[in-house]
Amino acid sequence: MKVTSSEFVISAVGPKQYPEDGLHEIALVGRSNVGKSSLLNKMMNRKGLARISSRPGKTQTLNYFRVNQMLYFVDFPGYGYAKVAKTIKEQWGKMIEGYLKNREELRFVIQLVDIRHAPSKDDIAMYDWCKQIGIPTVVVATKGDKIARGRWLQHIKVIRQSLNLRGDDTIIVFSSETGQGKDELWGEILRRLRGGDESRAESASISSAKAETKTTEPS
Protein backbone atom coordinates (compact mmCIF):
# COMPACT_ATOMS: atom_id res chain seq x y z
CA MET A 1 0.00 0.00 0.00
CA LYS A 2 1.22 3.51 -0.79
CA VAL A 3 1.35 5.58 2.38
CA THR A 4 0.54 9.22 1.56
CA SER A 5 0.04 10.48 5.11
CA SER A 6 0.94 9.30 8.59
CA GLU A 7 0.85 11.10 11.90
CA PHE A 8 0.95 10.64 15.63
CA VAL A 9 -2.45 11.52 17.10
CA ILE A 10 -2.59 10.90 20.85
CA SER A 11 -1.17 8.99 23.79
CA ALA A 12 -4.31 7.69 25.46
CA VAL A 13 -4.71 6.34 28.99
CA GLY A 14 -8.41 5.50 28.78
CA PRO A 15 -11.55 5.36 26.62
CA LYS A 16 -12.31 9.07 27.01
CA GLN A 17 -9.15 9.87 25.04
CA TYR A 18 -9.64 7.33 22.24
CA PRO A 19 -10.42 8.81 18.79
CA GLU A 20 -14.10 9.00 17.91
CA ASP A 21 -13.90 9.08 14.10
CA GLY A 22 -14.71 5.36 13.73
CA LEU A 23 -11.60 4.41 11.74
CA HIS A 24 -10.32 0.84 11.89
CA GLU A 25 -7.79 0.17 14.65
CA ILE A 26 -4.96 -2.39 14.67
CA ALA A 27 -3.19 -3.03 17.96
CA LEU A 28 0.55 -3.75 18.10
CA VAL A 29 1.72 -5.83 21.05
CA GLY A 30 5.04 -7.37 22.00
CA ARG A 31 7.88 -7.50 24.47
CA SER A 32 9.96 -4.43 25.17
CA ASN A 33 12.75 -4.06 22.61
CA VAL A 34 11.10 -6.43 20.11
CA GLY A 35 11.01 -3.64 17.51
CA LYS A 36 7.48 -2.19 17.56
CA SER A 37 8.61 1.41 17.00
CA SER A 38 10.99 0.38 14.21
CA LEU A 39 8.21 -1.59 12.50
CA LEU A 40 5.79 1.33 12.76
CA ASN A 41 8.30 3.76 11.27
CA LYS A 42 9.02 1.40 8.38
CA MET A 43 5.33 0.70 7.71
CA MET A 44 4.46 4.43 7.77
CA ASN A 45 7.52 5.63 5.81
CA ARG A 46 8.27 8.11 8.57
CA LYS A 47 11.66 7.71 10.18
CA GLY A 48 11.41 8.74 13.83
CA LEU A 49 7.62 9.16 13.93
CA ALA A 50 7.33 6.40 16.51
CA ARG A 51 10.09 7.10 18.99
CA ILE A 52 12.55 4.30 19.69
CA SER A 53 13.33 4.39 23.39
CA SER A 54 16.69 3.38 24.83
CA ARG A 55 14.87 2.62 28.06
CA PRO A 56 12.63 -0.49 27.80
CA GLY A 57 9.24 -0.21 29.43
CA LYS A 58 9.04 3.56 28.91
CA THR A 59 5.81 3.48 26.88
CA GLN A 60 2.93 3.52 29.36
CA THR A 61 0.04 4.59 27.14
CA LEU A 62 -1.83 3.50 24.02
CA ASN A 63 -0.17 5.52 21.26
CA TYR A 64 -2.36 6.21 18.22
CA PHE A 65 -0.86 6.67 14.74
CA ARG A 66 -3.20 7.51 11.85
CA VAL A 67 -2.33 6.30 8.33
CA ASN A 68 -3.90 7.62 5.11
CA GLN A 69 -6.95 8.77 7.06
CA MET A 70 -8.13 5.12 6.89
CA LEU A 71 -6.78 3.31 9.96
CA TYR A 72 -4.94 3.63 13.24
CA PHE A 73 -1.98 1.66 14.46
CA VAL A 74 -2.33 1.50 18.25
CA ASP A 75 1.03 0.89 19.91
CA PHE A 76 0.72 -0.92 23.25
CA PRO A 77 3.16 -0.74 26.18
CA GLY A 78 5.87 -3.39 25.87
CA TYR A 79 5.47 -6.31 28.23
CA GLY A 80 8.00 -8.52 29.95
CA TYR A 81 10.34 -5.87 31.31
CA ALA A 82 11.18 -6.69 34.91
CA LYS A 83 12.21 -3.18 36.05
CA VAL A 84 8.77 -1.68 35.47
CA ALA A 85 7.04 -1.11 38.81
CA LYS A 86 4.34 -3.61 39.74
CA THR A 87 1.72 -0.86 40.16
CA ILE A 88 2.40 0.42 36.63
CA LYS A 89 2.14 -3.11 35.23
CA GLU A 90 -1.24 -3.49 36.94
CA GLN A 91 -2.44 -0.20 35.40
CA TRP A 92 -1.27 -1.37 31.98
CA GLY A 93 -3.08 -4.66 32.44
CA LYS A 94 -6.41 -2.99 33.22
CA MET A 95 -6.06 -0.52 30.35
CA ILE A 96 -5.10 -3.19 27.83
CA GLU A 97 -7.77 -5.64 28.95
CA GLY A 98 -10.45 -2.97 28.72
CA TYR A 99 -9.31 -1.96 25.26
CA LEU A 100 -9.08 -5.50 23.86
CA LYS A 101 -12.46 -6.53 25.25
CA ASN A 102 -14.48 -3.41 24.58
CA ARG A 103 -13.02 -1.38 21.70
CA GLU A 104 -15.42 -1.83 18.78
CA GLU A 105 -13.02 -0.22 16.28
CA LEU A 106 -10.35 -2.88 16.96
CA ARG A 107 -10.09 -5.24 13.98
CA PHE A 108 -7.15 -7.47 14.91
CA VAL A 109 -3.85 -7.62 16.76
CA ILE A 110 -0.33 -7.65 15.33
CA GLN A 111 1.86 -9.50 17.83
CA LEU A 112 5.61 -9.05 17.44
CA VAL A 113 8.08 -11.75 18.47
CA ASP A 114 11.85 -11.90 17.94
CA ILE A 115 12.57 -14.49 15.23
CA ARG A 116 15.90 -15.35 16.86
CA HIS A 117 14.32 -16.77 20.01
CA ALA A 118 11.46 -19.05 20.97
CA PRO A 119 8.42 -17.09 22.22
CA SER A 120 8.62 -16.23 25.91
CA LYS A 121 6.00 -17.08 28.52
CA ASP A 122 4.69 -13.52 28.17
CA ASP A 123 4.43 -13.94 24.38
CA ILE A 124 2.48 -17.17 24.79
CA ALA A 125 0.23 -15.65 27.47
CA MET A 126 -0.57 -12.64 25.25
CA TYR A 127 -1.41 -14.83 22.27
CA ASP A 128 -3.61 -17.11 24.41
CA TRP A 129 -5.35 -14.06 25.87
CA CYS A 130 -6.22 -12.80 22.39
CA LYS A 131 -7.61 -16.22 21.47
CA GLN A 132 -9.73 -16.38 24.63
CA ILE A 133 -11.22 -12.99 23.81
CA GLY A 134 -11.67 -14.02 20.17
CA ILE A 135 -9.36 -11.47 18.51
CA PRO A 136 -7.68 -12.43 15.20
CA THR A 137 -3.90 -12.16 15.36
CA VAL A 138 -1.09 -11.66 12.86
CA VAL A 139 2.26 -12.78 14.28
CA VAL A 140 5.23 -10.79 12.97
CA ALA A 141 8.69 -12.30 13.49
CA THR A 142 10.94 -9.25 13.71
CA LYS A 143 14.67 -8.87 13.11
CA GLY A 144 14.66 -11.21 10.13
CA ASP A 145 17.93 -9.66 8.95
CA LYS A 146 19.70 -10.96 12.07
CA ILE A 147 19.65 -14.60 10.93
CA ALA A 148 20.29 -16.27 7.58
CA ARG A 149 17.26 -16.57 5.30
CA GLY A 150 17.86 -20.31 5.08
CA ARG A 151 17.07 -20.63 8.79
CA TRP A 152 13.79 -18.74 8.71
CA LEU A 153 11.57 -21.80 8.26
CA GLN A 154 13.20 -23.53 11.22
CA HIS A 155 12.62 -20.53 13.48
CA ILE A 156 9.07 -19.97 12.19
CA LYS A 157 8.26 -23.59 13.01
CA VAL A 158 9.39 -23.04 16.62
CA ILE A 159 7.26 -19.89 16.90
CA ARG A 160 4.21 -21.58 15.38
CA GLN A 161 4.47 -24.58 17.71
CA SER A 162 5.25 -22.55 20.85
CA LEU A 163 2.27 -20.25 20.34
CA ASN A 164 0.05 -23.09 19.08
CA LEU A 165 -1.02 -20.86 16.21
CA ARG A 166 -4.74 -21.20 15.50
CA GLY A 167 -7.27 -20.57 12.76
CA ASP A 168 -6.51 -17.92 10.17
CA ASP A 169 -3.61 -16.47 12.17
CA THR A 170 -0.45 -16.07 10.12
CA ILE A 171 3.29 -15.47 10.60
CA ILE A 172 5.23 -12.88 8.60
CA VAL A 173 9.01 -12.42 8.76
CA PHE A 174 9.91 -8.73 9.04
CA SER A 175 13.02 -6.58 9.05
CA SER A 176 12.93 -2.86 9.72
CA GLU A 177 16.47 -2.64 8.31
CA THR A 178 15.86 -4.19 4.88
CA GLY A 179 12.09 -3.72 4.53
CA GLN A 180 11.57 -7.49 4.34
CA GLY A 181 7.93 -8.31 5.01
CA LYS A 182 6.64 -4.74 4.71
CA ASP A 183 4.60 -5.30 1.54
CA GLU A 184 3.40 -8.68 2.78
CA LEU A 185 2.22 -7.18 6.06
CA TRP A 186 0.40 -4.34 4.32
CA GLY A 187 -1.24 -6.92 2.05
CA GLU A 188 -2.39 -8.93 5.07
CA ILE A 189 -3.71 -5.80 6.79
CA LEU A 190 -5.75 -4.75 3.76
CA ARG A 191 -7.05 -8.29 3.21
CA ARG A 192 -8.29 -8.51 6.77
CA LEU A 193 -9.84 -5.05 6.75
CA ARG A 194 -11.68 -5.78 3.50
CA GLY A 195 -12.83 -9.13 4.85
CA GLY A 196 -14.12 -7.54 8.02
CA ASP A 197 -16.01 -4.86 6.09
CA GLU A 198 -17.61 -7.47 3.83
CA SER A 199 -18.68 -9.59 6.82
CA ARG A 200 -20.24 -6.59 8.56
CA ALA A 201 -22.02 -5.55 5.36
CA GLU A 202 -23.35 -9.07 4.91
CA SER A 203 -24.56 -9.21 8.52
CA ALA A 204 -26.29 -5.86 8.13
CA SER A 205 -27.94 -7.04 4.91
CA ILE A 206 -29.19 -10.23 6.57
CA SER A 207 -30.53 -8.30 9.57
CA SER A 208 -32.30 -5.85 7.26
CA ALA A 209 -33.83 -8.67 5.25
CA LYS A 210 -35.07 -10.40 8.39
CA ALA A 211 -36.63 -7.17 9.65
CA GLU A 212 -38.31 -6.57 6.29
CA THR A 213 -39.69 -10.11 6.19
CA LYS A 214 -41.02 -9.77 9.69
CA THR A 215 -42.85 -6.56 8.91
CA THR A 216 -44.51 -8.01 5.80
CA GLU A 217 -45.70 -11.24 7.42
CA PRO A 218 -49.53 -11.46 7.69
CA SER A 219 -50.87 -11.05 11.19
Side-chain angles (χ1 to χ4, degrees), residues 18 34 106 143:
Y18 299 162
V34 75
L106 175 64
K143 307 186 181 181

PDB file of all heavy atoms in Angstrom, residues 18 34 106 143:
ATOM      1  N   TYR A  18      -9.726   8.038  23.508  1.00  0.00           N
ATOM      2  CA  TYR A  18      -9.636   7.333  22.239  1.00  0.00           C
ATOM      3  C   TYR A  18     -10.303   8.150  21.128  1.00  0.00           C
ATOM      4  O   TYR A  18     -11.306   8.832  21.378  1.00  0.00           O
ATOM      5  CB  TYR A  18     -10.315   5.959  22.323  1.00  0.00           C
ATOM      6  CG  TYR A  18      -9.719   5.006  23.326  1.00  0.00           C
ATOM      7  CD1 TYR A  18     -10.439   3.902  23.774  1.00  0.00           C
ATOM      8  CD2 TYR A  18      -8.442   5.190  23.841  1.00  0.00           C
ATOM      9  CE1 TYR A  18      -9.910   3.012  24.701  1.00  0.00           C
ATOM     10  CE2 TYR A  18      -7.905   4.316  24.777  1.00  0.00           C
ATOM     11  CZ  TYR A  18      -8.645   3.235  25.205  1.00  0.00           C
ATOM     12  OH  TYR A  18      -8.114   2.356  26.122  1.00  0.00           O
ATOM     13  N   VAL A  34      11.318  -5.480  21.194  1.00  0.00           N
ATOM     14  CA  VAL A  34      11.099  -6.430  20.107  1.00  0.00           C
ATOM     15  C   VAL A  34      11.082  -5.736  18.754  1.00  0.00           C
ATOM     16  O   VAL A  34      11.178  -6.383  17.711  1.00  0.00           O
ATOM     17  CB  VAL A  34       9.784  -7.223  20.319  1.00  0.00           C
ATOM     18  CG1 VAL A  34       8.570  -6.347  19.996  1.00  0.00           C
ATOM     19  CG2 VAL A  34       9.773  -8.509  19.509  1.00  0.00           C
ATOM     20  N   LEU A 106     -11.471  -1.948  17.087  1.00  0.00           N
ATOM     21  CA  LEU A 106     -10.345  -2.879  16.963  1.00  0.00           C
ATOM     22  C   LEU A 106     -10.691  -4.009  15.995  1.00  0.00           C
ATOM     23  O   LEU A 106     -11.698  -4.687  16.155  1.00  0.00           O
ATOM     24  CB  LEU A 106      -9.988  -3.464  18.336  1.00  0.00           C
ATOM     25  CG  LEU A 106      -8.905  -4.551  18.341  1.00  0.00           C
ATOM     26  CD1 LEU A 106      -7.563  -3.989  17.870  1.00  0.00           C
ATOM     27  CD2 LEU A 106      -8.774  -5.170  19.735  1.00  0.00           C
ATOM     28  N   LYS A 143      13.220  -8.725  13.164  1.00  0.00           N
ATOM     29  CA  LYS A 143      14.674  -8.866  13.108  1.00  0.00           C
ATOM     30  C   LYS A 143      15.095 -10.016  12.199  1.00  0.00           C
ATOM     31  O   LYS A 143      16.064 -10.732  12.471  1.00  0.00           O
ATOM     32  CB  LYS A 143      15.243  -9.017  14.516  1.00  0.00           C
ATOM     33  CG  LYS A 143      14.771  -7.884  15.444  1.00  0.00           C
ATOM     34  CD  LYS A 143      15.404  -7.892  16.811  1.00  0.00           C
ATOM     35  CE  LYS A 143      14.857  -6.746  17.647  1.00  0.00           C
ATOM     36  NZ  LYS A 143      15.439  -6.648  18.993  1.00  0.00           N
TER      37      LYS A 143
END
